[in-house]
Amino acid sequence: MTSPKSLQTALVHSDYTPPAGFSAFPTAIHHASTVLFDNVAAMRARNWQDKNAYTYGLHGTPTSFTLEARLAAIEDGKYCLLAPSGLAAIAMVDFALLKSGDDVLIPDNVYNPNRELGNWLAKDFGITARYYDPMIGAGIAELIQPNTTLIWAEAPGSVSMEVPDIPAICKAAHDRDVLVAIDNTWSAGLAFRAFEHGADIVMQALTKYQSGGSDVLMGAVITRDKALNHRLELAHMRLGLGVGMDDAYLVLRGLPTMKLRFDAHDAGGRKVATWLKGRPEIAKVLHPAFADCPGHENWKRDFEGAGGLFSVIFDERYTEAQTDRFVDSLKLFKIGFSWGGSNSLCVPYRIQSMRSNWHDRGQLVRFNIGLEEATDLIVDIEQALSML
């Protein structure tokens, strides 16, 4: 005979089981730190690295497993690991693959926190971090040393938008048994097929187009090779890089519309960039789809779209104070980092201090074209240009 439960125990232990057969479009949100096992044998039989069962909330629930599978499918990969941010995903790769005495090559136009991480690895961890010209292509073979373990690439580069020759870099790396990790955030895996062009590891900041709401911080690391994925999983576990299931759900909710939104950002971005190209205040438009953008031929050969992120360089007659006033005068464009959401953004950068070999003297401003009507954005830019 079952003993009657006290009220407090009944509040903790319920005999109710919901009926089976419920079905709906949204992925269910499964929260858990503790995961329950039927018996001790089941607990001991489960291997968290193979992900054929659930072990602990840090290693995933049905919600995060679903998101990982869908992200891997978008990139045509096999394995995916989630991290609390794009930078956390980059750190996972570095700490999984690099040890004291190793060398890592990083493009000079890399996402700046990746540069900061590389500098930290060099300062405190005995790892050599060297920065290469992103347009070096096959010439990167001359930089590979016996202790070079990893090459980072970014397509296109953050802020300055050069499009590297990824297949050439990957071939040179693989000829020397060096792994290539690529930041594929700009294309969200939609416009550039990184694995098909030679990459071993694909990193994405899911903060951008995947969520689409400017409200989630998350990153992903995707691979095809099981042994490589296991190395990454060990770093994921040792660094404790878990994500919240509510955030995982928000990214899942954004995926069905991601391609539609990406194409809309792309169309709006090209329209605004084309208009800016005809303005006398603008010396250069750094948009990979434009013929005069560094690496455009690589983009034309390897990419299938462009999204809504690009930069411009003002004529050098305009001072930083003037271009700052331009940004401050915008009404529809807001000032803020990140991108990929519905709202347009505009940020000025001191690019000369960010790059070791930058020759343009004009002020650089980066635009994220959101989902507003492009003609309204052009009107806003025009009135702000009048404030120069």
Side-chain angles (χ1 to χ4, degrees):
M1 180 177 178
T2 303
S3 300
K5 297 186 182 77
S6 68
L7 177 58
Q8 178 57 39
T9 300
L11 289 172
V12 177
H13 294 268
S14 173
D15 296 328
Y16 177 76
T17 301
F22 177 80
S23 181
F25 288 116
T27 302
I29 303 175
H30 294 270
H31 297 109
S33 52
T34 299
V35 173
L36 303 179
F37 306 93
D38 290 338
N39 49 56
V40 174
M43 180 192 73
R44 288 176 173 161
R46 295 188 187 182
N47 182 347
W48 63 270
Q49 280 193 280
D50 288 336
K51 292 194 173 184
N52 56 3
Y54 306 101
T55 56
Y56 186 61
L58 181 65
H59 306 307
T61 77
T63 308
S64 59
F65 278 21
T66 300
L67 177 56
E68 288 170 342
R70 292 181 68 178
L71 292 170
I74 290 170
E75 283 282 9
D76 199 20
K78 291 185 178 180
Y79 310 100
C80 177
L81 294 166
L82 301 176
S85 67
L87 181 57
I90 294 169
M92 185 203 313
V93 174
D94 284 345
F95 282 100
L97 303 180
L98 299 171
K99 64 183 184 303
S100 180
D102 285 346
D103 174 67
V104 58
L105 288 169
I106 302 171
D108 195 37
N109 61 353
V110 74
Y111 170 60
N112 204 55
N114 194 344
R115 179 189 292 272
E116 292 292 330
L117 178 57
N119 292 341
W120 183 40
L121 293 174
K123 178 177 180 292
D124 291 343
F125 293 87
I127 295 166
T128 305
R130 293 180 294 141
Y131 298 91
Y132 66 89
D133 179 350
M135 304 310 295
I136 197 171
I140 201 168
E142 299 178 10
L143 300 180
I144 297 175
Q145 302 174 161
N147 65 332
T148 302
T149 302
L150 176 66
I151 297 174
W152 274 101
E154 192 166 323
S158 285
V159 183
S160 49
M161 297 293 151
E162 302 96 334
V163 184
D165 189 341
I166 296 298
I169 291 173
C170 290
K171 183 181 185 305
H174 295 158
D175 285 346
R176 299 283 293 275
D177 295 321
V178 176
L179 295 170
V180 177
I182 182 169
D183 185 339
N184 201 24
T185 301
W186 187 79
S187 81
L190 300 174
F192 181 68
R193 315 301 293 172
F195 289 118
E196 293 177 11
H197 291 88
D200 301 291
I201 301 168
V202 176
M203 170 267 157
Q204 292 184 6
L206 309 180
T207 307
K208 317 303 194 218
Y209 294 120
Q210 288 85 347
S211 66
S214 303
D215 56 359
V216 175
L217 287 170
M218 197 178 296
V221 176
I222 302 164
T223 56
R224 285 180 167 178
D225 182 80
K226 186 174 183 179
L228 180 55
N229 179 63
H230 274 198
R231 293 176 68 184
L232 292 162
E233 281 182 317
L234 287 172
H236 184 272
M237 180 271 291
R238 290 164 178 164
L239 294 170
L241 298 179
V243 302
M245 295 305 117
D246 292 297
D247 286 346
Y249 169 79
L250 289 175
V251 178
L252 280 164
R253 188 174 65 174
L255 292 183
T257 62
M258 181 169 67
K259 181 65 165 61
L260 299 172
R261 290 183 284 105
F262 184 88
D263 290 345
H265 288 292
D266 189 348
R270 295 194 204 208
K271 186 172 183 177
V272 174
T274 299
W275 182 85
L276 281 164
K277 197 169 181 61
R279 293 292 304 196
E281 301 92 344
I282 305 301
K284 290 184 181 178
V285 174
L286 302 175
H287 190 300
F290 288 14
D292 54 351
C293 183
H296 167 74
E297 290 303 318
N298 297 328
W299 176 87
K300 187 176 180 180
R301 180 192 66 199
D302 298 336
F303 284 69
E304 299 174 4
L309 191 75
F310 66 91
S311 298
V312 301
I313 298 175
F314 277 77
D315 188 281
E316 63 181 275
R317 70 180 182 272
Y318 295 109
T319 65
E320 181 180 83
Q322 286 177 295
T323 53
D324 285 356
R325 184 163 65 244
F326 160 77
V327 175
D328 286 340
S329 299
L330 291 165
K331 301 182 185 307
L332 294 178
F333 288 85
K334 304 305 178 183
I335 304 170
F337 295 108
S338 197
W339 41 272
S342 300
N343 298 89
S344 291
L345 299 170
C346 186
V347 178
Y349 283 87
R350 289 172 170 165
I351 189 67
Q352 291 85 355
S353 67
M354 297 168 59
R355 296 284 300 277
S356 60
N357 191 25
W358 185 260
H359 301 295
D360 286 295
R361 299 179 60 170
Q363 304 297 317
L364 186 146
V365 173
R366 189 179 74 176
F367 290 93
N368 167 63
I369 304 304
L371 297 179
E372 303 94 341
E373 173 57 49
T375 53
D376 292 335
L377 297 176
I378 289 171
V379 170
D380 188 27
I381 295 172
E382 188 170 31
Q383 66 82 24
L385 288 172
S386 70
M387 302 298 176
L388 283 169

